[in-house]
Amino acid sequence: VKRLHEAISHDADGGRSPVVLVNNLDPDRVTPDALFNLFSTCGMVLRVKILFAKRDSALVQFESAEQAERARMALTGCPIWGRTLLVSPSKHPSIQAQRTDAEPDSARLSADYTSSNLHRRGPAASGGRGVPLAMPSKLLHVSNIPDSMPEDGLVALFAEHGPVVKVKFLPAKADPTRAASAGAPRKMALIELLSVDKAAEAICSLHNRQVEQARLRISFSTSQSTQ
């Protein structure tokens, strides 16, 4: 991970695109929301577009070229849906609407997240780039868990993606922006799944899932184990 950060910081944004091309997707399972959930582990995703004529490929636009490069280096080779992702720089400076966007099913092929409240981090101007980057692993960090949610409830949710190997709850951190009337701080946990592909699938499916009055936040963990 250290080498990854050094390689990115060494290469300035000059002339590079904030868009990446993602190949080798499962056309029957990929959605814009799934790609947003996965790629926003690397930066602030603004737009996602699954290619109309090539449904196993998509474009993902980030806030900056630096974040796009983080995604390329972190997620290329990531296993998911029985395939291996291929992520490469795009020649496009942004994702634009095309003629095929007028087709009946185009709405499910693209999405704009510019004003979404589902981002893991804020814009770069507000310090959103400071969140550490974690490489894909079978260990997930889950936050914003309702305080009333028991361990077996959490396990049942993630069991949609195969057996849960281990769960470890972490001390909840107080949020200074959280009103006292909002109740107890939300819990956090480390959850280990059987494999990296199952963990990636869980992020695609369960990040931003509403549980009670909270939306789960799920990323690959920077920890090496649940110990």
Side-chain angles (χ1 to χ4, degrees):
V1 174
K2 181 179 179 181
R3 290 195 300 270
L4 171 60
H5 285 290
E6 289 175 347
I8 292 171
S9 61
H10 180 72
D11 188 8
D13 279 4
R16 294 185 300 154
S17 170
V19 181
V20 293
L21 173 64
V22 188
N23 293 114
N24 207 31
L25 297 162
D26 183 340
D28 296 323
R29 301 179 69 178
V30 66
T31 65
D33 284 352
L35 291 178
F36 170 83
N37 288 349
L38 181 61
F39 278 79
S40 61
T41 61
C42 300
M44 190 169 180
V45 173
L46 303 183
R47 299 177 186 86
V48 175
K49 182 181 182 67
I50 299 169
L51 302 188
F52 183 84
K54 198 172 187 302
R55 303 293 176 92
D56 66 347
S57 300
L59 295 172
V60 178
Q61 181 179 345
F62 285 89
E63 182 187 40
S64 69
E66 177 186 344
Q67 293 175 10
E69 180 66 4
R70 282 161 59 97
R72 185 191 70 78
M73 298 183 72
L75 293 178
T76 195
C78 178
I80 185 170
W81 300 318
R83 300 180 175 216
T84 301
L85 291 186
L86 301 174
V87 185
S88 58
S90 171
K91 63 182 179 181
H92 301 286
S94 63
I95 295 177
Q96 302 291 335
Q98 298 178 355
R99 179 185 60 80
T100 50
D101 290 342
E103 300 292 340
D105 65 344
S106 64
R108 67 182 182 86
L109 297 181
S110 62
D112 190 321
Y113 300 95
T114 305
S115 301
S116 173
N117 63 354
L118 301 179
H119 292 283
R120 286 182 171 84
R121 63 203 75 191
S126 65
R129 294 165 61 184
V131 177
L133 176 67
M135 301 297 286
S137 73
K138 60 184 179 180
L139 190 63
L140 298 175
H141 182 274
V142 185
S143 61
N144 212 34
I145 304 168
D147 192 61
S148 59
M149 189 174 197
E151 180 175 327
D152 57 357
L154 192 63
V155 169
L157 187 64
F158 280 81
E160 298 174 10
H161 301 280
V164 173
V165 176
K166 194 169 184 180
V167 175
K168 179 183 179 181
F169 278 102
L170 304 172
K173 294 181 180 179
D175 183 352
T177 66
R178 184 179 175 82
S181 59
R186 305 295 187 182
K187 291 189 292 188
M188 298 185 294
L190 295 176
I191 298 183
E192 183 179 344
L193 299 183
L194 279 178
S195 60
V196 176
D197 59 329
K198 294 303 180 184
E201 290 176 17
I203 289 177
C204 287
S205 175
L206 298 178
H207 177 66
N208 285 320
R209 173 76 64 90
Q210 185 150 348
V211 178
E212 298 178 14
Q213 301 303 312
R215 287 188 178 273
L216 297 180
R217 296 287 186 261
I218 308 172
S219 300
F220 295 114
S221 175
T222 56
S223 301
Q224 299 300 311
S225 72
T226 56
Q227 300 298 323

